[in-house]
Amino acid sequence: MTTPDTSSVEALNAAIQSLNPFDKPAIVTNQDIWGKGFPDVKSLNAHASTMVLQAVEQSRNGQCPKTSIALAAEPGVGKSHIISRIRHQLQDEGGALFIYAPFGKFSELNLVKYQFQQILAESLKQVGSQQVMQWQELASAIVIEASNKLQTSAKFPSPKDIVSWFSRALTKDRTLVERVTTKAQKIKPQIDPDIIKAILWTLSESHASYAVKWLSGKELAESKACELGLPNPVKEDREVQSFDNVRQILDLISDYNSLLVCFDEIDGQGYDDAGFSKAQVVSQLVKDLFDNLHKGVILTVMMPDTWRNQIKQLPQASGIPARVSAKGDPIVLRYMDGDAIVDLVSLWMQRFYEERKLVPLHPVYPFNENHLKELGKQKPTVRQVLNWCRDNFTPQSPKPVREDRVKQAFEKSLNEDFGDFMEDTSLLDGVLFFGFSTLLGQTIEGVEIKDVSEIEPEKENNGYINFKVIGKEKGKTVKIGVAIRQESHGKSVSAGMKRLIDYKKFGLTRGCLVRSKSIKPNWSAHSSLNKLLTQLGGEWVPLKADEVKPLLSAFSVYSAREDYELTKEEIFAFLNETGLVANNPLIREILSDPSGQIPTDVFDDEIPINTSEISDGLNGEVILEDL
């Protein structure tokens, strides 16, 4: 029965029949952490989020400058929901910069510190509590301190003001960055001036992306590095150099703000060369960060078995368990009870009806509140509750078939923000290796794919050729070496090309360079490229983001298949039925007969920036006149 304040049953049922709001993967992704996020019942496991936020506040006010907290729970209980809650509260209220390090970002366990520098740079690129990039919040604090302005000043500008002013001021004074760097370095002599300089460049609309790339430890094109006055990193020392850079960046943050570093689900598979598991390698990184952190909180999320069987099993003398969870035993998350389930479903249905300007008969319509409370006796996880709602959104909406669930997982993944994936060679390596692995036994472009394997000898290759595809073509065995070389520095590209043309040493019949950027005529790589294309029957396949993204989505779904509650067989069947990998232009181009030509659709990584196009901002000369 309806009341004057409720919508008609017909209108409600029509809306319910048109869309099932629960009919999507019930997992929290990177996009949910940084973006809008899932509907969240803040009372659920509030003891965990409250403890973390209190620790951040105590760090900020100096009561307890640094600490670490571990959070342990079974899959689906709501670990990532809590991280999303904490992140969004910090964004709304301020108080700390936020770094998010999910397990999938650590793809190479022997370079974990280098990868963490990239994670740090990518996280600080996200918008913080001041409506600008977190990098720009830090850069603004440096500018204010260098200008001798106190925060109590009535004219103290916001980071948004600084960003607006800086781009305009830079067009009038090209020495601005150097002058501010000089002043800031006198105040902070312990910080590498190049790091200060790079952080300041994030304030410039035209240079921010290059500055963040440098701060992530990646190479810049030589002309761009020269323009910004920054030296390119040395590849051979990148683990040591990366951690030194991370330590200095964290020191800078500590001078102005608190910090929350979150390692999410460190339970992934894999071992480093020393035989340590992924969780143990990441926990060693946590220890190193804790020992070098002046102010901030480190949150590490894992399953209870990981804590008991991997972290706690490390020698106590190592100090790792005590650094991973300085607050004592990990916080244990609780399963949902009946009241929490009712609150969660009410929140989801509220958003559903408000978007359609409808008023339900009761908050959980079309579900039964008593039935939901009864469900709580089973102590389900958040994921189980949401999946139950999806499957029982009846009789108005039919239960989705299994194939639809696989498709929905891929659609969700396609909307993910994977960051600067075109510069992440390790990720691209994994994506393409996985793609070819799904095609074993299939014939694509006349090549019957038999195997995908690593390159031997491993030491001589040193990772420059990523893998080789072994197959049969016209009755003959083909071994295609695939080298993904996205570096902007000529030396790295040349080293890769030198190996790619050594067919005999690495057991190849064909070499394939995969790259989106041009190769300069003056690089030594250019002569190797000519030999590859004109003498050795090799190929240069241009790397394109729109061709990589579907493969990256497939790889992402496969890597998180347990969270999606899908099997390897279901995912491979979907890929086979849709032809998502088999018909991918990048995959087919690698397997096709080489053209022997340099592609025309690659871009120059050294295109100059037209600074005249920078928009005017706040006239800040009075505010920062002594710079």
Side-chain angles (χ1 to χ4, degrees):
M1 181 176 179
T2 62
T3 70
D5 295 327
T6 60
S7 301
S8 69
V9 173
E10 291 77 13
L12 295 172
N13 287 348
I16 291 168
Q17 194 167 12
S18 68
L19 178 68
N20 184 341
F22 303 96
D23 198 8
K24 56 185 175 180
I27 65 171
V28 177
T29 64
N30 292 3
Q31 186 175 356
D32 297 314
I33 298 294
W34 294 112
K36 184 177 181 180
F38 264 38
D40 177 40
V41 179
K42 298 193 185 315
S43 60
L44 180 61
N45 285 310
H47 66 291
S49 55
T50 298
M51 184 174 181
V52 174
L53 290 167
Q54 286 178 344
V56 171
E57 175 60 22
Q58 290 170 354
S59 170
R60 189 189 63 78
N61 63 28
Q63 184 178 346
C64 179
K66 71 174 181 179
T67 192
S68 62
I69 299 171
L71 191 156
E74 299 295 341
V77 174
K79 300 185 294 292
S80 296
H81 280 82
I82 288 178
I83 295 171
S84 178
R85 177 191 305 163
I86 292 168
R87 150 65 184 169
H88 285 93
Q89 188 159 337
L90 288 177
Q91 187 176 29
D92 291 341
E93 301 175 4
L97 300 188
F98 182 78
I99 309 299
Y100 181 56
F103 78 96
K105 293 290 186 178
F106 294 103
S107 56
E108 177 50 73
L109 295 183
N110 296 304
L111 294 173
V112 68
K113 292 177 180 176
Y114 172 64
Q115 290 182 316
F116 182 74
Q117 183 180 359
Q118 296 177 38
I119 291 168
L120 174 68
E122 186 69 27
S123 291
L124 292 178
K125 193 169 72 172
Q126 303 292 332
V127 174
S129 61
Q130 301 296 317
Q131 289 80 54
V132 297
M133 286 195 304
Q134 295 185 105
W135 276 123
Q136 293 171 330
E137 287 187 40
L138 179 58
S140 297
I142 295 173
V143 170
I144 292 297
E145 186 175 48
S147 67
N148 299 317
K149 296 295 181 182
L150 299 177
Q151 294 192 18
T152 54
S153 169
K155 290 187 176 180
F156 180 68
S158 70
K160 206 168 184 180
D161 294 334
I162 297 291
V163 171
S164 181
W165 166 79
F166 202 89
S167 287
R168 180 182 179 186
L170 194 62
T171 61
K172 299 178 180 179
D173 181 5
R174 300 297 293 177
T175 70
L176 179 61
V177 172
E178 289 289 347
R179 291 194 295 109
V180 179
T181 299
T182 300
K183 286 197 172 188
Q185 216 275 320
K186 290 179 180 179
I187 300 171
K188 303 185 184 303
Q190 77 281 12
I191 304 298
D192 186 334
D194 288 329
I195 290 178
I196 295 175
K197 184 186 299 179
I199 294 173
L200 290 172
W201 275 119
T202 67
L203 293 170
S204 167
E205 179 182 350
S206 301
H207 301 88
S209 61
Y210 296 101
V212 172
K213 183 177 179 180
W214 187 90
L215 288 163
S216 73
K218 297 176 182 177
E219 295 176 325
L220 299 179
E222 293 178 14
S223 63
K224 185 57 65 175
C226 182
E227 180 185 349
L228 271 61
L230 298 171
N232 267 317
V234 179
K235 182 178 181 181
E236 288 72 18
D237 301 327
R238 59 183 175 184
E239 270 292 89
V240 175
Q241 183 179 353
S242 289
F243 192 72
D244 187 50
N245 290 341
V246 165
R247 180 186 57 76
Q248 293 188 64
I249 293 168
L250 297 184
D251 282 350
L252 267 176
I253 293 173
S254 297
D255 285 344
Y256 305 111
N257 212 331
S258 189
L259 175 74
L260 176 61
V261 182
C262 177
F263 292 88
D264 188 10
E265 297 183 342
I266 66 171
D267 323 88
Q269 297 179 351
Y271 297 87
D272 68 359
D273 288 346
F276 290 104
S277 70
K278 191 167 197 175
Q280 291 172 329
V281 173
V282 174
S283 65
Q284 175 64 59
L285 173 61
V286 172
K287 175 187 180 297
D288 293 340
L289 288 173
F290 185 90
D291 289 342
N292 287 276
L293 190 65
H294 291 161
K295 184 167 65 176
V297 179
I298 302 177
L299 174 64
T300 307
V301 180
M302 68 192 81
M303 290 189 288
D305 283 349
T306 301
W307 173 257
R308 288 191 297 265
N309 301 330
Q310 296 189 51
I311 309 304
K312 289 286 285 184
Q313 296 307 311
L314 293 168
Q316 290 298 316
S318 70
I320 292 177
R323 304 303 201 285
V324 172
S325 191
K327 286 283 191 179
D329 289 336
I331 304 173
V332 177
L333 297 190
R334 301 163 187 156
Y335 290 91
M336 301 195 78
D337 59 20
D339 290 337
I341 292 175
V342 171
D343 289 342
L344 178 66
V345 176
S346 297
L347 194 61
W348 276 71
M349 296 311 303
Q350 179 184 356
R351 177 180 290 187
F352 174 77
Y353 289 123
E354 284 180 349
E355 288 175 350
R356 289 154 183 79
K357 296 181 171 55
L358 297 171
V359 180
L361 305 178
H362 54 79
V364 297
Y365 183 83
F367 301 106
N368 181 285
E369 183 172 323
N370 291 331
H371 195 169
L372 294 176
K373 288 185 176 181
E374 189 70 21
L375 184 64
K377 294 179 180 180
Q378 302 175 23
K379 295 184 177 180
T381 65
V382 174
R383 187 177 301 158
Q384 287 171 334
V385 170
L386 293 176
N387 286 341
W388 182 92
C389 290
R390 174 200 65 206
D391 296 341
N392 291 274
F393 203 64
T394 55
Q396 295 83 357
S397 178
K399 181 177 179 178
V401 296
R402 190 73 178 176
E403 292 78 7
D404 287 343
R405 292 178 57 190
V406 182
K407 180 181 178 182
Q408 290 153 13
F410 277 89
E411 289 174 345
K412 180 178 179 66
S413 181
L414 280 169
N415 291 321
E416 273 288 291
D417 179 5
F418 292 105
D420 193 11
F421 64 85
M422 289 289 283
E423 297 295 329
D424 192 337
T425 302
S426 295
L427 178 60
L428 294 170
D429 178 11
V431 167
L432 284 180
F433 190 98
F434 167 76
F436 282 108
S437 299
T438 69
L439 300 175
L440 299 183
Q442 298 187 43
T443 300
I444 311 292
E445 293 291 329
V447 178
E448 183 185 359
I449 301 172
K450 297 290 189 180
D451 193 17
V452 188
S453 67
E454 304 291 343
I455 299 294
E456 299 288 346
E458 181 180 350
K459 184 176 181 180
E460 286 82 351
N461 180 48
N462 197 24
Y464 281 100
I465 306 174
N466 297 89
F467 58 86
K468 60 182 173 182
V469 180
I470 302 171
K472 285 283 187 180
E473 184 178 31
K474 299 178 181 178
K476 296 182 179 180
T477 298
V478 292
K479 299 178 181 179
I480 305 172
V482 178
I484 308 164
R485 300 267 54 94
Q486 281 292 85
E487 299 90 349
S488 299
H489 198 281
K491 291 182 180 179
S492 298
V493 179
S494 299
M497 291 302 302
K498 180 181 178 181
R499 290 163 173 80
L500 189 59
I501 62 175
D502 197 342
Y503 286 8
K504 183 176 180 181
K505 177 179 289 187
F506 298 109
L508 307 177
T509 63
R510 185 195 307 172
C512 179
L513 170 66
V514 179
R515 177 175 171 83
S516 66
K517 307 169 186 176
S518 62
I519 293 180
K520 309 305 175 194
N522 61 329
W523 289 359
S524 60
H526 206 271
S527 61
S528 299
L529 175 64
N530 284 334
K531 184 174 181 180
L532 175 74
L533 299 181
T534 61
Q535 300 178 34
L536 298 178
E539 185 169 18
W540 179 356
V541 173
L543 189 68
K544 302 175 183 178
D546 60 342
E547 295 177 0
V548 174
K549 187 66 182 290
L551 301 176
L552 179 55
S553 297
F555 180 64
S556 175
V557 171
Y558 179 77
S559 300
R561 60 190 180 280
E562 293 182 1
D563 290 331
Y564 285 107
E565 298 181 357
L566 299 173
T567 66
K568 172 184 175 180
E569 292 72 23
E570 288 172 330
I571 293 172
F572 276 42
F574 177 82
L575 295 176
N576 185 50
E577 292 167 6
T578 61
L580 189 146
V581 177
N583 295 327
N584 182 271
L586 176 58
I587 294 289
R588 300 189 75 91
E589 187 64 25
I590 291 173
L591 296 173
S592 67
D593 290 335
S595 67
Q597 302 295 318
I598 294 178
T600 58
D601 47 353
V602 292
F603 69 91
D604 189 340
D605 199 31
E606 299 185 6
I607 296 175
I609 298 297
N610 183 1
T611 56
S612 65
E613 294 180 356
I614 300 176
S615 58
D616 287 344
L618 174 72
N619 186 341
E621 287 83 352
V622 175
I623 298 176
L624 302 170
E625 58 190 358
D626 50 350
L627 281 177

